[in-house]
C-alpha cells in the first residue's frame, strides 16, 4: 500500500465511522474514479459489510453521454459495485448551466438515497480553491467563503467529501499507481464556464507563483466555516426566541439590534427555512421596505419562489400563490368539490360549518376574494370585509384562499371563518354541515 493509500484509508475510516451503506456520485472522470476505486479497495480489505452503490447522472449535454453511461456500468461490473444512472433535464435560464446541472445532480441523489445510506462525492483540494474564488467573485460573506465542508447534512442523511484534503496531482499519482483509466470530458476545456476559466487560466498562474495556494485557500475556507459555526452557536438561542411556531420572525426585537447582528439573524432565518442566503442589498431592502414600511401597508419582497411579507409585526416567508380572485366553481352539493391550487375539498359531513340548505332556484358556487360590507352572525352591525379578516386573524395572503359559499349572488359563508345572516335557516328549513378538508393552507 502506498503512502497516498494509507492517508486516504485513514481519512475514510475517520469520516465514515459506523456508516455501512454508501452511495457514490460517479461521473467516470478522474476524481470519482479514484474515489470509487478507493472505496472498493477499502471495502475489500477492511470492511466486507459495506454496501457500496454508484450513481451516474446523464445530463444530456454531451454527444458522448450515452457512451459514458456504458463505460461507468462496465467499471462497476468489473469492480462488483451496484450501478444506477438517471437522466436529468437542465434548465439554465435562471441560474446558468453550471448551477442548474449541479442542482439537478443533487436532486437526483436525494431521490435515490436509501434509508441509512450516506452520499459520498469526489470534490478535491483544487475544487475547494475554485469554489472559494467563485464565492469571492460573487461578493459572498463568510458562509459562502466557507465553500465545501468535508461533512454536511444532506437529505436527512450526511454528505461526505473525503478527497477535499488532496490535490488533483495527488489523485493523478494514485490513478497512475493503480493503472486506472477515466473519462476526459471535453467540455472541461470550454473556458466560457466560470469554473473552467479559473481552472485553465487562473489557478495555473497562482500555483506557479505560490505552489501551496490551494492549501492556503482551504485553510481560509475552513476558518470562515469555523466563524459561521461559532455565530450559529452564539445566535441560535436568540433566533429561537424570535421565531414563532409558524416560522415567522418577530420584528420588534430586531429593532434594538445592531445592523450586523440583525443581518446575521435574518440570514439564519432564511437558513432555517432552507432558503438561499440573501445579499446585503436584499437584506437592506427587506428591513426598510418590508419590516419598517408604514403601518397601514401590506409590503412584500420577492426571494425566488417566495415572498417575504409583514403581518402582526412579524416577517413571514410565503410561497408565491396562484391568484383565485376570478375563480367561480359550480358545486353540486351532493358530491365533494375539489378546490384549486391544492386547497383541499369540500363535502357535506357531520362536522364543519352549518348553513341553511339552498332553495331549488338557488345556484351554489364557490368563489374567492370577497370585498365590501357584510352582515355576519354574531355582529349587530355590518362591517367591511377587510376589518373582518383582521378581526378573525386571517393573514392578507390567505384571504384569497378562503372558499366563499354563494347562493346565487348572495354570500352565505366564508368557510371555516364566519357565516352571514343570510345563512340562517327559517323554521323547518333543512340544515347543511359543510366540511372543508384542508390539504394545503399555509
Amino acid at each position: 500500500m502506498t503512502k497516498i493509500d494509507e492517508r486516504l484509508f485513514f481519512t475514510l475510516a475517520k469520516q465514515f465511522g459506523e456508516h455501512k451503506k454508501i452511495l457514490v456520485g460517479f461521473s467516470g472522470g478522474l476524481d470519482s474514479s479514484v474515489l470509487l476505486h478507493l472505496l472498493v479497495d477499502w471495502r475489500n480489505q477492511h470492511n466486507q459489510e459495506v454496501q457500496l452503490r454508484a450513481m451516474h447522472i446523464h445530463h444530456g449535454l454531451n454527444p458522448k453521454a450515452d457512451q459514458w453511461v456504458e463505460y461507468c456500468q462496465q467499471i462497476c461490473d468489473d469492480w462488483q459495485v451496484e450501478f444506477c444512472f438517471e437522466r436529468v433535464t437542465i434548465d439554465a435560464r435562471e441560474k446558468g448551466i453550471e448551477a442548474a446541472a449541479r442542482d439537478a445532480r443533487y436532486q437526483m441523489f436525494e431521490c435515490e438515497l436509501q434509508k441509512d445510506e450516506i452520499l459520498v462525492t469526489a470534490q478535491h483540494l483544487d475544487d475547494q480553491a475554485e469554489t472559494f474564488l467563485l464565492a469571492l467573485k460573487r461578493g459572498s460573506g463568510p458562509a459562502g467563503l466557507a465553500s465545501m465542508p468535508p461533512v454536511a447534512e444532506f437529505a436527512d442523511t450526511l454528505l461526505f467529501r473525503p478527497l477535499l484534503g488532496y490535490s488533483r496531482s495527488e489523485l493523478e499519482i494514485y490513478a497512475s499507481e493503480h493503472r486506472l483509466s477515466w473519462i476526459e470530458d471535453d467540455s472541461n476545456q470550454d473556458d466560457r464556464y466560470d469554473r473552467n476559466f479559473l481552472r485553465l487560466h487562473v489557478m495555473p498562474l497562482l500555483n506557479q507563483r505560490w505552489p501551496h495556494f490551494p492549501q492556503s485557500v482551504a485553510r481560509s475556507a475552513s476558518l470562515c466555516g469555523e466563524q459561521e459555526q461559532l455565530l450559529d452557536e452564539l445566535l441560535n438561542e436568540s433566533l429561537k426566541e424570535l421565531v414563532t411556531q409558524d416560522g415567522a420572525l418577530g420584528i420588534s426585537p430586531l429593532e434594538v439590534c445592531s445592523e450586523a447582528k440583525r443581518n446575521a439573524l435574518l440570514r439564519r432565518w432564511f437558513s432555517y427555512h432552507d432558503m438561499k442566503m440573501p445579499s446585503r442589498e436584499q437584506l437592506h431592502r427587506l428591513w426598510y421596505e418590508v419590516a419598517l414600511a408604514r403601518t397601514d401597508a401590506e409590503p412584500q419582497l420577492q426571494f425566488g419562489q417566495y415572498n417575504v411579507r409583514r403581518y402582526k409585526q412579524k416577517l413571514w416567508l410565503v410561497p408565491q400563490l396562484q391568484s383565485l380572485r376570478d375563480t367561480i366553481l359550480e358545486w353540486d352539493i351532493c358530491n365533494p368539490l375539489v378546490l384549486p391550487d391544492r386547497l383541499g375539498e369540500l363535502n357535506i359531513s357531520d362536522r364543519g360549518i352549518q348553513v341553511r340548505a339552498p332553495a331549488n332556484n338557488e345556484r351554489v358556487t364557490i368563489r374567492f376574494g370577497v370585498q365590501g360590507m357584510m352582515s355576519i352572525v354574531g355582529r349587530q352591525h355590518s362591517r367591511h370585509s377587510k376589518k373582518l379578516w383582521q378581526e378573525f386573524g386571517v393573514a392578507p395572503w390567505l384571504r384569497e384562499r378562503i372558499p366563499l359559499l354563494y347562493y346565487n349572488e348572495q354570500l352565505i359563508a366564508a368557510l371555516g371563518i364566519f357565516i352571514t345572516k343570510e345563512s340562517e335557516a327559517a323554521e323547518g328549513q333543512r340544515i347543511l354541515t359543510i366540511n372543508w378538508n384542508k390539504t394545503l393552507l399555509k
Side-chain angles (χ1 to χ4, degrees):
M1 184 184 295
T2 67
K3 289 184 177 180
I4 295 178
D5 292 311
E6 291 176 356
R7 290 171 56 206
L8 287 169
F9 274 24
F10 176 77
T11 301
L12 294 182
K14 182 179 178 181
Q15 285 191 354
F16 291 176
E18 297 301 315
H19 295 289
K20 297 292 190 296
K21 297 177 66 176
I22 300 172
L23 178 67
V24 185
F26 184 44
S27 69
L30 169 69
D31 315 335
S32 63
S33 295
V34 168
L35 176 61
L36 185 58
H37 182 273
L38 175 70
L39 288 168
V40 169
D41 206 10
W42 182 64
R43 175 196 65 185
N44 295 343
Q45 294 190 35
H46 293 270
N47 199 334
Q48 294 293 339
E49 296 179 1
V50 168
Q51 300 176 38
L52 191 58
R53 298 195 303 140
M55 183 174 186
H56 178 85
I57 305 299
H58 186 308
H59 296 92
L61 299 175
N62 193 295
K64 300 177 183 177
D66 289 338
Q67 298 175 31
W68 294 345
V69 173
E70 294 176 3
Y71 173 84
C72 292
Q73 173 75 72
Q74 185 60 55
I75 291 293
C76 289
D77 289 345
D78 292 343
W79 292 351
Q80 297 181 322
V81 175
E82 182 181 338
F83 176 78
C84 63
F85 81 95
E86 289 289 343
R87 297 176 185 269
V88 296
T89 301
I90 306 301
D91 184 355
R93 290 174 295 181
E94 183 176 346
K95 298 182 178 180
I97 195 166
E98 291 176 284
R102 179 190 180 279
D103 288 351
R105 281 197 301 276
Y106 281 93
Q107 286 173 11
M108 285 296 103
F109 290 146
E110 182 173 357
C111 293
E112 178 65 26
L113 280 163
Q114 299 176 357
K115 184 179 179 182
D116 299 325
E117 190 172 44
I118 60 171
L119 175 64
V120 183
T121 57
Q123 291 91 354
H124 52 70
L125 186 64
D126 300 78
D127 293 327
Q128 184 77 310
E130 293 161 8
T131 301
F132 184 94
L133 293 176
L134 289 170
L136 196 65
K137 175 189 75 74
R138 293 192 299 268
S140 299
L145 294 174
S147 303
M148 299 177 288
V151 184
E153 293 182 356
F154 176 77
D156 299 323
T157 183
L158 294 173
L159 164 61
F160 289 87
R161 300 182 177 97
L163 303 184
L164 273 186
Y166 302 89
S167 67
R168 178 179 174 86
S169 61
E170 288 179 292
L171 301 187
E172 289 173 343
I173 292 171
Y174 179 99
S176 176
E177 290 177 344
H178 292 276
R179 299 181 180 180
L180 301 183
S181 60
W182 59 87
I183 293 168
E184 290 287 1
D185 185 349
D186 50 12
S187 69
N188 290 334
Q189 302 303 311
D190 188 347
D191 61 9
R192 291 175 299 175
Y193 302 129
D194 289 343
R195 187 175 289 274
N196 286 349
F197 179 82
L198 287 175
R199 184 175 300 155
L200 296 171
H201 303 299
V202 177
M203 292 301 296
L205 288 175
L206 294 173
N207 287 327
Q208 182 179 355
R209 176 79 181 195
W210 300 291
H212 299 292
F213 181 79
Q215 288 87 344
S216 298
V217 169
R219 284 196 297 272
S220 293
S222 179
L223 289 171
C224 288
E226 288 180 9
Q227 292 299 311
E228 280 299 292
Q229 183 179 350
L230 177 60
L231 279 175
D232 285 341
E233 293 176 5
L234 293 175
L235 295 175
N236 186 49
E237 288 303 318
S238 297
L239 188 66
K240 284 182 179 179
E241 293 174 1
L242 295 178
V243 177
T244 68
Q245 290 184 344
D246 294 324
L249 184 69
I251 293 174
S252 297
L254 292 175
E255 293 179 309
V256 298
C257 294
S258 67
E259 182 179 3
K261 184 175 181 179
R262 182 177 69 238
N263 286 346
L265 286 166
L266 286 169
R267 288 191 183 97
R268 280 154 181 80
W269 179 57
F270 275 81
S271 178
Y272 171 85
H273 287 283
D274 295 322
M275 293 284 292
K276 181 182 177 181
M277 287 297 99
S279 66
R280 178 179 293 182
E281 179 185 359
Q282 287 174 316
L283 289 177
H284 181 87
R285 291 188 60 194
L286 168 60
W287 185 247
Y288 289 100
E289 296 179 19
V290 180
L292 300 185
R294 69 180 192 273
T295 55
D296 61 341
E298 294 181 2
Q300 57 182 299
L301 188 63
Q302 183 175 344
F303 288 83
Q305 299 301 313
Y306 286 76
N307 291 326
V308 175
R309 306 189 62 156
R310 184 190 66 189
Y311 178 62
K312 290 187 174 180
Q313 274 303 100
K314 296 181 181 68
L315 295 173
W316 302 74
L317 263 172
V318 181
Q320 292 184 9
L321 302 169
Q322 172 188 340
S323 175
L324 301 175
R325 181 170 295 276
D326 297 324
T327 300
I328 300 178
L329 305 174
E330 299 277 354
W331 186 20
D332 175 5
I333 59 174
C334 295
N335 299 304
L337 176 68
V338 177
L339 299 173
D341 207 21
R342 298 169 60 201
L343 286 176
E345 72 171 22
L346 306 179
N347 55 58
I348 305 302
S349 177
D350 56 358
R351 58 189 178 91
I353 199 166
Q354 291 190 327
V355 297
R356 67 175 176 85
N360 291 333
N361 63 345
E362 287 182 315
R363 169 182 173 234
V364 181
T365 59
I366 297 297
R367 309 180 190 187
F368 300 87
V370 66
Q371 290 189 2
M373 302 298 292
M374 60 192 66
S375 298
I376 70 171
V377 172
R379 302 291 186 276
Q380 184 176 358
H381 302 289
S382 61
R383 300 199 71 188
H384 194 275
S385 57
K386 183 175 181 179
K387 296 294 184 183
L388 286 173
W389 292 133
Q390 292 172 347
E391 179 182 339
F392 287 104
V394 180
W397 57 91
L398 294 181
R399 293 170 190 174
E400 265 193 34
R401 325 303 288 175
I402 305 298
L404 306 173
L405 177 67
Y406 277 79
Y407 293 168
N408 290 335
E409 297 303 313
Q410 182 65 59
L411 177 65
I412 299 299
L415 299 179
I417 308 297
F418 60 77
I419 55 176
T420 67
K421 291 182 178 178
E422 289 76 12
S423 72
E424 295 181 305
E427 185 177 353
Q429 194 170 11
R430 188 164 64 98
I431 300 295
L432 295 179
T433 303
I434 300 177
N435 175 52
W436 177 14
N437 182 17
K438 308 171 189 177
T439 57
L440 183 65
L441 182 61
K442 298 181 180 179

